[in-house]
């Protein structure tokens, strides 16, 4: 997964971030009538942008290895047989649920194939 694709996946995070920063900026600007309010808004927005960028980059680095392992598995040749156990360990609850679902589907398919072979 590329960093750009990861950022596209986080589009709702950026929307919420922009709304929160607009709200905070509006409160800061209307709360005080001094010229310092404008520079304070700039400092708060810049600081929060740095923290949000750190969050996005850290999340990408954390998940990059997982996505690379999935990509490698998906690019294997069709003749090569691989099993659910070859999948990387899930890093999130969502990934764990998908792995559980895939395991169930794989088990049911294997049982169906075994039953057909017996018949």
């Amino acid at each position: 997964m590329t960093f750009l694709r990861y950022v596209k996946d986080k589009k709702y995070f950026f929307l919420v971030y922009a709304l929160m920063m607009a709200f905070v900026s509006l409160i800061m600007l209307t709360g005080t009538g001094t010229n310092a309010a404008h520079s304070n808004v700039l400092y708060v927005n810049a600081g929060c942008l740095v923290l949000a960028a750190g969050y996005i980059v850290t999340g990408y680095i954390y998940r990059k290895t997982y996505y690379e392992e999935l990509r490698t598995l998906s690019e294997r040749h069709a003749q090569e047989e691989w099993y659910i156990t070859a999948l990387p360990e899930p890093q999130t609850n969502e990934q764990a649920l998908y792995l559980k679902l895939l395991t169930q589907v794989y088990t049911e398919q294997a049982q169906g194939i075994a039953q057909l072979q017996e018949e």
Side-chain angles (χ1 to χ4, degrees):
M1 169 176 272
T2 65
F3 183 71
L4 183 60
R5 184 158 177 101
Y6 180 77
V7 168
K8 285 181 183 179
D9 285 348
K10 295 292 183 182
K11 61 186 169 204
Y12 295 113
F13 169 79
F14 290 115
L15 176 66
V16 169
Y17 172 79
L19 290 173
M20 285 188 330
M21 291 315 299
F23 177 73
V24 168
S25 298
L26 183 65
I27 295 298
M28 289 178 71
L29 288 174
T30 59
T32 58
T34 66
N35 289 336
H38 294 288
S39 62
N40 288 342
V41 168
L42 180 65
Y43 292 135
V44 167
N45 283 325
C48 289
L49 181 62
V50 168
L51 291 173
Y55 168 77
I56 293 296
V57 169
T58 303
Y60 173 72
I61 291 169
Y62 177 69
R63 289 185 176 84
K64 183 179 180 181
T65 56
Y66 178 81
Y67 291 129
E68 287 299 317
E69 289 179 39
L70 285 179
R71 185 184 56 76
T72 301
L73 283 174
S74 69
E75 291 176 351
R76 286 190 176 180
H77 298 288
Q79 299 92 3
E80 190 174 340
E81 191 172 312
W82 61 278
Y83 300 96
I84 296 295
T85 57
L87 292 173
E89 286 295 316
Q91 295 177 337
T92 64
N93 186 43
E94 179 183 14
Q95 293 170 359
L97 290 172
Y98 278 122
L99 182 61
K100 183 178 177 182
L101 178 65
L102 283 173
T103 304
Q104 289 173 347
V105 168
Y106 178 77
T107 302
E108 289 173 7
Q109 182 184 21
Q111 289 172 350
I113 289 172
Q115 184 180 6
L116 286 172
Q117 287 176 343
E118 284 179 19
E119 291 175 1

